[in-house]
Amino acid sequence: MKILVCITHVPDTTSRIAFTDGDTKFDTNGVQFIIGPYDDYALARAVELKEQSGGSITVLNVGGAESEPTIRKALAIGADDAIRVNAEPTDSLFVAAEIANVAKDGGYDLILMGRESIDFNGGMVHGMVGEILGIPSISPVMTLDIEGDTAKMSREIEGGKEYLEVKMPFVAGCQEPIAEWKIPNMRGIMSARTKPLNVVEPSSNQSGTKLEKYEMPPAKGAVKMIDADNVGELVSLLKNEAKVI
Amino acid sequence: MSSILVFVESAEGAVKKTSLEAVCYAKGMGGDVTVIAFGNEVSESELSDLGKYGASKVLHVNDEKYNKGVIQAYASVIADAMEKEGADVLVLANSSLGNPVSARVAVKVDASLVSNVTELPDTSAGFKVKRSIYTGKAFANVDLTKDKKILAIKKNAAEVKEVGGSATVEPFAASAPDGDFSTNITKTEKATGEILLPEAELVVSGGRGLKGPENWGMIEELAKTLGAATGCSKPVSDMDWRPHHEHVGQTGVKVSPQLYIAVGISGAIQHLAGVNSSKNIVVINKDPEAPFFKAADYGIVGDAFEVVPKLTEALKAAK
């Protein structure tokens, strides 16, 4: 089974968000970048599937050279080789078009990625890739098992779960608890150094949106502290001031 | 704005609140609002009532085959409806169905697509919308550059309000090819009798401060008294004290309720990211240095085991 896992290179979940250049650029100062947490789940499941039934895992990132440590980490976790599309991702459509371009002749049985990136939270790339390639796309996928040429999955829906079956190939946007996150071991880290990381140039320049500027939410007012012995005051404030009960 | 199509989702015969928000958002944009709805479980009168929220016409794909949300088939039919209606804008809810459907429609009709939209567009120069990014820690203002636009509206970003009368309901002949049904939905499990966390107006969440799953009764009692959904922090779901679908935070469910009550949660940045769109936040924690107090509107420093039962009683008394 050939699996393509698409990963994002995103700020660590603990990052404080700030912008520079007149609020048009993300401030990377002091920020650590990681594999997108949802993509980490997709990669972990790919590694488990490979362990069960063999095959190969190619990891793909659309990003500049600064993504390479993140890609190497994915190789250390268990991907066999990597492709970096050498371009600054501008929007979902741009990324999806580049993924689809790599995938179209790759003969992948399975294209996995996170349900969304944790920077732009678009949640759109998997669907776009599926549509461009003319194959099914399912998201957010919580469990994924392969039996022959059929995948059995469950998908989160508001207030419940949906169980589905689909024949490969297809695209899945993944989330927990699809697999246990994998932490690279020393052997993986050493072998990742020599695994192939191929850099390709972008195939097109598709985009549907143009960023005008970033904005921070308005500063929060000071918290109103209430004595623990006077919860009635909280009830009154929620009723009369916040008007939420 | 010439013509806006709104995709509404329904469950158990009723149009979802998030879809009512989408209809109201579309009405707020001005122009003519047409709705497309799927399946034979939703009644014509329920659909006609969408007129109250600003829809003038409802296209009803009144076919059992469309009761289940098959992503590809929905996308094909919506793209077809956009073309037939001459709609240049599609509005829908940012949801587990809306997102994957809209992504496919965007490619089909060559549209600009923005999700997590929080405000009405500014069309004075271009077509600019504000969207939530970094899990609510920031916003991006983006210009949609293609002729057709698709907007997926963040939950609770648009107010549901009645503005009009009733809408005409017309059958819409679905045209999805058989291949679109290659995804076979074998079973649907619905949580019954619960308030759904992603759509809840009020949420009560518990963290490690609750000390164990056996102590969740008081959280549930408080939630029941308020008519709220229950949530939890990531460590709590990681330890299996509570099910994964209650995990609120950056990598879990993002909520934007009118009121979020956090009990025994210190307020790690990843948790805050999932709740920072809440209109009002109450924090109950025995540690006065808990970072969550900085993000709260109201705070109580105290032992959850004493404060929560008292708060529940006070709420009952105030009813």
Side-chain angles (χ1 to χ4, degrees), chain A residues 134-213:
Chain A
I135 58 176
S137 57
I138 297 111
S139 176
V141 174
M142 301 172 76
T143 59
L144 166 63
D145 291 290
I146 309 290
E147 289 175 17
D149 61 352
T150 302
K152 295 188 172 183
M153 282 170 275
S154 64
R155 183 177 95 85
E156 185 174 283
I157 55 174
E158 276 78 11
K161 247 195 236 183
E162 220 170 54
Y163 294 83
L164 317 96
E165 289 180 7
V166 67
K167 287 203 185 311
M168 294 189 284
F170 65 93
V171 185
C174 304
Q175 69 169 41
E176 64 181 321
I178 195 166
E180 288 283 329
W181 272 8
K182 307 275 183 285
I183 297 162
N185 57 27
M186 190 47 74
R187 195 168 152 219
I189 293 166
M190 297 305 285
S191 69
R193 292 181 183 171
T194 53
K195 286 179 178 174
L197 195 170
N198 302 307
V199 178
V200 300
E201 292 307 312
S203 61
S204 66
N205 195 21
Q206 292 208 47
S207 82
T209 58
K210 189 170 159 282
L211 176 83
E212 295 279 315
K213 67 186 259 201

Side-chain angles (χ1 to χ4, degrees), chain A residues 114-147:
Chain A
R115 62 176 288 179
E116 64 184 52
S117 68
I118 60 155
D119 49 7
F120 269 73
N121 311 112
M124 304 295 176
V125 172
H126 37 74
M128 289 175 165
V129 171
E131 185 61 34
I132 296 168
L133 294 174
I135 58 176
S137 57
I138 297 111
S139 176
V141 174
M142 301 172 76
T143 59
L144 166 63
D145 291 290
I146 309 290
E147 289 175 17

Side-chain angles (χ1 to χ4, degrees), chain A residues 217-233:
Chain A
K220 198 93 182 157
V223 57
K224 261 188 197 169
M225 296 306 291
I226 295 141
D227 195 289
D229 292 324
N230 191 11
V231 291
E233 189 190 342

Side-chain angles (χ1 to χ4, degrees), chain A residues 11-17 19 26 37-38 41 93 115-116 118-132 134-140 142 155-167 175-177 181 206-218 220-229 231-232 234-235 237-239 241-242 244-245, chain B residues 16 69 71-72 95-97 99-100 102-104 106-108 112-116 128 130-146 152 155 182-191 196 198-199 202 226 234 238 244-245 247 250-252 254 258-259 269-270 278-282 293-302 307 310-311 314-315 318:
Chain A
D12 180 88
T13 54
T14 60
S15 304
R16 298 208 175 270
I17 305 302
F19 302 104
F26 177 73
Y38 296 113
Y41 282 112
L93 180 60
R115 62 176 288 179
E116 64 184 52
I118 60 155
D119 49 7
F120 269 73
N121 311 112
M124 304 295 176
V125 172
H126 37 74
M128 289 175 165
V129 171
E131 185 61 34
I132 296 168
I135 58 176
S137 57
I138 297 111
S139 176
M142 301 172 76
R155 183 177 95 85
E156 185 174 283
I157 55 174
E158 276 78 11
K161 247 195 236 183
E162 220 170 54
Y163 294 83
L164 317 96
E165 289 180 7
V166 67
K167 287 203 185 311
Q175 69 169 41
E176 64 181 321
W181 272 8
Q206 292 208 47
S207 82
T209 58
K210 189 170 159 282
L211 176 83
E212 295 279 315
K213 67 186 259 201
Y214 296 112
E215 202 177 309
M216 294 303 288
K220 198 93 182 157
V223 57
K224 261 188 197 169
M225 296 306 291
I226 295 141
D227 195 289
D229 292 324
V231 291
L234 176 62
V235 175
L237 286 165
L238 293 177
K239 205 166 185 172
E241 187 177 82
V244 288
I245 59 170
Chain B
K16 289 187 169 186
I71 292 165
Q72 278 173 276
S95 68
S96 63
L97 185 60
N99 277 22
S102 64
R104 297 193 76 112
V107 172
K108 281 180 190 292
S112 294
L113 165 60
V114 177
S115 60
N116 278 313
K128 291 165 191 168
K130 187 167 167 176
R131 58 164 309 200
S132 170
I133 56 170
Y134 293 103
T135 324
K137 287 189 265 188
F139 296 99
N141 293 289
V142 293
D143 194 8
L144 285 76
T145 53
K146 291 183 182 276
K155 284 158 193 156
S182 63
T183 307
N184 180 23
I185 299 172
T186 53
K187 194 170 72 168
T188 304
E189 257 176 25
K190 281 182 186 159
L196 304 181
E199 298 172 10
L202 308 168
L226 279 165
K234 187 171 193 308
D238 284 349
H244 161 69
H245 68 257
H247 159 209
Q250 183 146 25
T251 54
K254 293 109 184 172
Q258 294 293 324
L259 174 63
I269 195 164
Q270 297 98 323
S278 306
K279 299 277 189 305
N280 295 278
I281 296 176
V282 173
F293 284 118
K294 289 199 177 79
D297 299 282
Y298 306 105
I300 293 180
V301 176
V307 175
K310 274 199 262 177
L311 178 58
L315 284 162

Side-chain angles (χ1 to χ4, degrees), chain A residues 7-88:
Chain A
I7 62 165
T8 51
H9 166 78
V10 291
D12 180 88
T13 54
T14 60
S15 304
R16 298 208 175 270
I17 305 302
F19 302 104
T20 60
D21 292 17
D23 287 332
T24 59
K25 284 205 169 69
F26 177 73
D27 184 358
T28 57
N29 198 15
V31 171
Q32 193 180 349
F33 282 79
I34 57 168
I35 301 173
Y38 296 113
D39 308 323
D40 239 337
Y41 282 112
L43 177 60
R45 188 63 191 138
V47 171
E48 289 171 357
L49 290 171
K50 187 189 154 186
E51 282 166 1
Q52 284 165 18
S53 45
S56 67
I57 302 168
T58 298
V59 67
L60 169 64
N61 170 258
V62 179
E66 68 280 1
S67 298
E68 293 202 355
T70 301
I71 299 171
R72 289 279 173 210
K73 190 181 168 201
L75 290 169
I77 287 169
D80 298 286
D81 57 5
I83 301 167
R84 177 170 69 81
V85 178
N86 186 29
E88 195 60 40

